[in-house]
Amino acid sequence: MLSNKQLTQLLKRNMLRAAKLPLIYFIIGLALIVLTYIDDLFPLTNWKTLFDFTDKIGNIFIALGVLTFFYKLIVLLCRRYEKKLIEKHSVAALIVKSLRKGLRVIFILVALNIIITFIGPTKFYLVLANNIVNVFIIASFGWVTIQILYTFEAIVYQNMIRLGQKNHERAKALYTKAHIIRNIATVIIITITIAAILMSFSSVRNIGISLLASAGFLTAIAGLAAQKTLFSLFSGLQIAIAQPIKIGDIVVVEKESGIIEEITFTYVTLKLGDKRRLIVPISYFSEKSFENWSHERNSLRSSILFYVDYMMPIEPMRAELNRILKNSTFWDGKASKLLVANLTEQAVEIRIQVSATNADNLSDLRAEVREKILEFLRNHYPHCLPMLRTSPGITPHETGTS
């Protein structure tokens, strides 16, 4: 982290580098404006049109100088942080790079707008060109703002990966908030951008004002078709604040267990164990009950059920579980329990509890324990696998009611 003094020095250095070309523009523009005062000192009526044109050109150069200064300053700062991000946050570096290139488009469009405005768009084609440039400027600002949101989300995501097991829950919670807020902010930015574009045309300005104020347009749409969409939007905000679920959590929805892969403002995507994807409306998590196996901080726990015969000794099975967990790369060393959970008519129900630092590790650990315990029973206690017994001297058809 840079200190305040270092940040001040960095900003001054970049401002000096950015001011070289704009200073030339400013001097040329100032010189052209000064030339227009010759008409006040000497009565040169025949040259009045030329002096007026010189005054416009001078104002254009000064405006372009100010615009170029801010553009070059932002580009220099983007390049600096792009170099810093490229090693640790490659995704964020790519987004900053695209943001820098997008600023170039905005700079060209604003420069064209300045030139057309100072010339005075009196002819039809100049008015049309000015309107088109205004539309592209507004759209470009909206696009750049969305890119900034994506950059912030990418940095948070890279931090979540980099932290790994340390503070993983805190990083996961922050990324979930950033992801949902980015989705909602994107919709708001697109709405504002469309409204601003409509307001730039006098014939449809009222529509743009209504859209921006959400007085007429959104009320009518909500009354007809968007009630569920708005409800989903508020559900997404509620989940972002209260966080009953986070990206990477293991949840059970309608008897389906899966890892939360994506949260949008309308639906949640669950990655199931067999690689299928379960799409659940986001309102489900605010209206109905569900299981979250990952809500405990710093450690995620889950249970595995096994059914064995009554003749199966428990201690060898418990010792085998301890051996499997000690050799596993997914276990976090916290939860390791093997208990007799229930006794049924046909078998003994064994409950195994294990823990891991994150959802992915927990899923892999559960699969590993199932596989190795099953292999242990097959190799050492095959006669203790669940079986159906019959009483001596009674054949299976004699147990029926017929």
Side-chain angles (χ1 to χ4, degrees):
M1 291 290 294
L2 296 176
S3 62
N4 292 334
K5 185 177 181 180
Q6 290 175 326
L7 286 173
T8 304
Q9 292 176 350
L10 174 64
L11 187 59
K12 287 182 179 179
R13 187 163 59 249
N14 286 326
M15 288 176 67
L16 290 174
R17 290 179 61 188
K20 292 180 181 178
L21 183 61
L23 186 61
I24 296 173
Y25 288 164
F26 188 81
I27 293 173
I28 294 173
L30 192 63
L32 291 173
I33 291 175
V34 169
L35 285 176
T36 60
Y37 287 98
I38 296 176
D39 185 41
D40 296 332
L41 298 175
F42 304 99
L44 301 175
T45 308
N46 296 332
W47 298 88
K48 182 174 179 59
T49 304
L50 178 62
F51 286 135
D52 290 341
F53 182 73
T54 303
D55 182 60
K56 290 181 179 179
I57 297 298
N59 287 324
I60 289 173
F61 267 100
I62 291 177
L64 289 178
V66 175
L67 176 65
T68 305
F69 170 74
F70 285 107
Y71 167 72
K72 289 181 69 67
L73 179 61
I74 295 173
V75 167
L76 287 172
L77 292 174
C78 284
R79 282 180 174 170
R80 171 180 172 78
Y81 285 103
E82 186 181 330
K83 290 179 181 178
K84 290 180 66 176
L85 290 172
I86 198 165
E87 295 179 357
K88 298 180 180 179
H89 309 287
S90 57
V91 178
L94 291 175
I95 297 177
V96 172
K97 185 178 180 180
S98 65
L99 176 65
R100 177 170 55 83
K101 291 181 178 179
L103 288 174
R104 186 185 307 168
V105 176
I106 294 178
F107 169 74
I108 295 172
L109 292 172
V110 174
L112 288 173
N113 182 262
I114 289 172
I115 294 171
I116 294 173
T117 302
F118 276 105
I119 289 176
T122 55
K123 296 184 179 181
F124 173 75
Y125 64 87
L126 286 177
V127 174
L128 180 62
N130 191 45
N131 289 334
I132 293 173
V133 169
N134 284 334
V135 169
F136 278 105
I137 289 173
I138 296 170
S140 299
F141 271 111
W143 179 83
V144 168
T145 306
I146 291 173
Q147 290 298 305
I148 292 173
L149 293 174
Y150 272 94
T151 303
F152 173 72
E153 183 189 0
I155 292 174
V156 174
Y157 177 72
Q158 293 286 345
N159 281 332
M160 185 180 73
I161 295 176
R162 182 171 54 85
L163 285 174
Q165 297 183 1
K166 184 181 180 182
N167 294 327
H168 180 78
E169 284 295 314
R170 183 172 60 86
K172 191 171 65 172
L174 179 61
Y175 174 66
T176 302
K177 286 183 179 179
H179 185 75
I180 296 176
I181 291 172
R182 191 266 298 168
N183 285 331
I184 296 173
T186 300
V187 175
I188 295 173
I189 291 168
I190 291 173
T191 304
I192 293 174
T193 301
I194 294 173
I197 290 174
L198 293 174
M199 289 173 63
S200 64
F201 297 95
S202 57
S203 58
V204 291
R205 184 167 296 167
N206 291 333
I207 299 176
I209 294 173
S210 298
L211 179 62
L212 190 61
S214 301
F217 181 80
L218 286 182
T219 303
I221 295 297
L224 294 174
Q227 292 181 356
K228 290 186 177 180
T229 302
L230 292 175
F231 180 72
S232 298
L233 181 65
F234 289 118
S235 297
L237 283 172
Q238 180 182 354
I239 287 175
I241 296 171
Q243 289 201 322
I245 56 172
K246 299 181 290 294
I247 293 175
D249 281 359
I250 297 179
V251 297
V252 178
V253 176
E254 302 293 338
K255 298 183 180 180
E256 290 279 4
S257 174
I259 300 172
I260 294 180
E261 189 175 48
E262 183 181 7
I263 301 176
T264 69
F265 63 91
T266 55
Y267 63 87
V268 175
T269 303
L270 298 184
K271 181 181 178 183
L272 306 183
D274 55 1
K275 306 302 181 183
R276 289 182 297 133
R277 299 299 189 273
L278 179 65
I279 309 300
V280 184
I282 196 168
S283 58
Y284 179 94
F285 295 94
S286 59
E287 291 182 325
K288 299 182 180 180
S289 59
F290 62 94
E291 295 181 29
N292 189 337
W293 296 351
S294 310
H295 207 55
E296 184 180 351
R297 292 182 177 273
N298 301 324
S299 183
L300 311 183
R301 300 191 179 193
S302 181
S303 297
I304 308 167
L305 294 179
F306 272 93
Y307 293 91
V308 297
D309 189 70
Y310 274 84
M311 300 305 295
M312 176 67 201
I314 302 301
E315 283 304 321
M317 197 172 178
R318 185 175 286 122
E320 178 64 15
L321 173 64
N322 292 333
R323 188 191 66 80
I324 293 171
L325 293 179
K326 287 180 181 179
N327 295 327
S328 176
T329 58
F330 306 115
W331 187 49
D332 63 356
K334 294 186 177 179
S336 171
K337 292 182 181 179
L338 189 149
L339 302 170
V340 176
N342 193 15
L343 299 175
T344 68
E345 294 179 357
Q346 289 82 24
V348 177
E349 183 180 276
I350 302 294
R351 184 184 299 274
I352 296 175
Q353 188 181 77
V354 294
S355 63
T357 54
N358 58 63
D360 290 334
N361 286 351
L362 185 58
S363 178
D364 292 335
L365 179 61
R366 294 172 72 231
E368 182 183 13
V369 170
R370 284 196 196 100
E371 178 183 339
K372 292 186 177 179
I373 288 291
L374 179 59
E375 183 180 1
F376 170 75
L377 293 175
R378 284 174 174 172
N379 293 336
H380 297 87
Y381 298 93
H383 60 284
C384 292
L385 293 171
M387 63 181 68
L388 182 62
R389 288 189 174 85
T390 59
S391 298
I394 301 178
T395 57
H397 72 274
E398 291 176 335
T399 60
T401 58
S402 59

